[in-house]
Amino acid sequence: MADTNPIKQFEIHPIADLSVGGLDLSFTNSSYFMVLAVGLTVGLLAIATSRAALVPGRAQSVAEILYEFIADMVRSSAGTDGLRFFPLVFTLFAFILMANMLGMMPYFPAPDFHGFTVTSHLIVTVALALLVMAVVVGYGLFKNGLKFFSIFFPAGVPVPLYVIVTPIEIISFLSRPISLSIRLFANMLAGHILLKVFAGFIVMLGAGGGVLAAVGILPLLMVVALTALEFLVAFLQAYVFAVLTCIYLNDALHPGHH
């Protein structure tokens, strides 16, 4: 039953044990796939742009489309000033997309020969969300000073209503890293659990033989459909994370327009 356990795929296993002062700093399968995601992203982009030409080839075209896609996203959500954060948004989008896609490869070459989705772990998505909010708050205070806090006092609202509106705005702001991290984590976790559950049905029905084996075609069709959906979700979650990052950065750039 271990092979059909839907939770087993999320277990973290040490690849290289390392302990410093009693602190466990082992290199794990999660670490491996994060490094792999970064390495593949950098490597593919380096290859795509290594021979830049006036008439781009396929790889260069994909890189340019990706660049323009993120640049347009930043401009539309945070304005032209937001382009100074283009490297951050592009890096977040590319890393999350690559990590999500690697998680869809069940037998991608790895030390234990099993795929792993790093974005299905809350600690990873929380770290990414806190990074975004740290940049938003840090740059917002650096650029605007105390005026940054005007985001808690929306323009056009009658002064007496600030007693109600301002606490709501503060709670909304503080909940941003929570919603940003849980959205990505929950979608990837739920999708992979569903895939594993239906894959388990195929194994169990197939082992039953006869009529049960014939019925196994139904969960097989569901797995195929869910796999296609999960590839779409993998892209959409990276896109949503990047879009929300741009919207939050807009508050740091233009707090008065909130």
Side-chain angles (χ1 to χ4, degrees):
M1 293 298 293
D3 290 338
T4 59
N5 182 355
I7 305 300
K8 188 175 180 61
Q9 60 182 311
F10 305 113
E11 292 179 354
I12 296 178
H13 305 288
I15 297 173
D17 293 324
L18 176 63
S19 180
V20 179
L23 184 64
D24 187 2
L25 299 178
S26 299
F27 188 78
T28 65
N29 53 342
S30 179
S31 307
Y32 172 83
F33 273 90
M34 282 190 276
V35 171
L36 190 62
V38 172
L40 284 176
T41 301
V42 173
L44 291 174
L45 288 174
I47 292 172
T49 57
S50 60
R51 297 182 179 179
L54 186 60
V55 179
R58 293 180 182 177
Q60 185 180 338
S61 295
V62 171
E64 290 180 358
I65 291 172
L66 184 60
Y67 178 95
E68 285 300 325
F69 175 72
I70 302 300
D72 288 341
M73 179 196 302
V74 174
R75 276 192 292 263
S76 62
S77 301
T80 305
D81 290 345
L83 288 175
R84 69 188 61 189
F85 293 108
F86 172 83
L88 172 65
V89 178
F90 186 90
T91 300
L92 286 171
F93 175 83
F95 173 77
I96 293 173
L97 179 61
M98 182 61 73
N100 290 350
M101 291 301 178
L102 285 175
M104 292 301 298
M105 311 299 172
Y107 297 106
F108 195 91
D112 56 359
F113 298 101
H114 290 285
F116 189 85
T117 310
V118 297
T119 48
S120 65
H121 280 259
L122 190 58
I123 186 63
V124 175
T125 59
V126 166
L128 294 175
L130 290 178
L131 169 64
V132 171
M133 297 312 298
V135 172
V136 170
V137 174
Y139 186 81
L141 291 173
F142 171 76
K143 182 177 184 292
N144 305 287
L146 295 179
K147 185 182 176 182
F148 171 70
F149 295 107
S150 64
I151 62 173
F152 302 129
F153 303 91
V157 176
V159 175
L161 289 181
Y162 280 136
V163 177
I164 300 174
V165 174
T166 298
I168 294 175
E169 289 293 329
I170 293 174
I171 293 172
S172 175
F173 184 85
L174 293 177
S175 67
R176 286 179 177 181
I178 299 174
S179 62
L180 193 61
S181 57
I182 290 180
R183 182 183 292 105
L184 175 58
F185 151 76
N187 276 280
M188 301 312 298
L189 180 76
H192 284 279
I193 287 178
L194 272 177
L195 280 174
K196 192 69 173 182
V197 167
F198 280 100
F201 288 159
I202 297 172
V203 174
M204 289 184 288
L205 290 172
V211 177
L212 290 178
V215 175
I217 190 68
L218 297 178
L220 174 61
L221 294 174
M222 183 60 73
V223 166
V224 173
L226 284 174
T227 300
L229 179 62
E230 274 299 287
F231 274 108
L232 177 61
V233 169
F235 171 80
L236 286 178
Q237 288 307 308
Y239 172 75
V240 169
F241 197 99
V243 167
L244 291 177
T245 296
C246 293
I247 293 173
Y248 298 159
L249 287 170
N250 185 53
D251 286 343
L253 292 163
H254 314 107
H257 298 167
H258 180 65

